[in-house]
Amino acid sequence: DNLQAAILNYRLDKLEDVTQKRRNNAKLYFNGINKQSLFIPEEKDSEYNVYHTFVIQTEYRDELKEYLSKNEIDTAIHYPVPIHLQPAAKKLGYKIGDFPVTEKQAKEILTLPINQYLLDNELDRIITGINNFSY
């Protein structure tokens, strides 16, 4: 309808700015987070990521999530159950161990805040929180 079209037009006008802000936020993460005990997938030269999410990986995911939560830093766990183990995929017959890399990632991924409304001081607080965590 016309109202939804007007809202979409407004959002499309802001899309480039939103994407750039998220990319800037990602750059701060890439440059600020100590990666010794973390894996952060790097953006390839042939890619242009809009950073809908910013996902890190660590074998200490649950402990890091809890530590950040205690320091009032919200994180999320997207896709905690691999697709091949979802109820909707049951009829395909896959079992635990069929996709070990996927299963390992499902246990290690943690999504950090990346939205375009984050302020630099909030990003600094998130980065400091991650870097202060004892692995």
Side-chain angles (χ1 to χ4, degrees), residues 27-99:
K27 190 175 190 178
L28 289 173
Y29 281 147
F30 282 122
N31 292 334
I33 293 174
N34 180 344
K35 299 171 197 70
Q36 288 180 344
S37 297
L38 298 174
F39 173 72
I40 303 174
E42 294 284 338
E43 183 176 342
K44 297 175 182 152
D45 290 338
S46 61
E47 298 173 339
Y48 187 83
N49 197 324
V50 297
Y51 293 100
H52 152 215
T53 58
F54 192 91
V55 179
I56 61 173
Q57 295 176 41
T58 176
E59 61 184 282
Y60 305 102
R61 187 263 316 269
D62 294 337
E63 296 87 348
L64 177 58
K65 181 173 180 40
E66 183 178 333
Y67 174 82
L68 294 174
S69 179
K70 286 180 180 177
N71 286 281
E72 299 179 356
I73 298 170
D74 290 329
T75 59
I77 300 173
H78 287 86
Y79 320 111
V81 178
I83 287 179
H84 69 284
L85 299 176
Q86 294 281 344
K90 187 174 185 172
K91 68 180 180 177
L92 298 174
Y94 294 116
K95 62 189 178 316
I96 293 173
D98 285 345
F99 296 95

Side-chain angles (χ1 to χ4, degrees), residues 93-127:
Y94 294 116
K95 62 189 178 316
I96 293 173
D98 285 345
F99 296 95
V101 174
T102 300
E103 293 165 23
K104 182 178 184 289
Q105 287 179 331
K107 293 177 184 173
E108 294 184 355
I109 59 174
L110 184 64
T111 304
L112 303 180
I114 190 75
N115 73 71
Q116 64 273 17
Y117 304 109
L118 288 169
L119 303 173
D120 285 351
N121 67 321
E122 293 171 316
L123 288 158
D124 288 341
R125 197 167 67 78
I126 295 165
I127 292 166

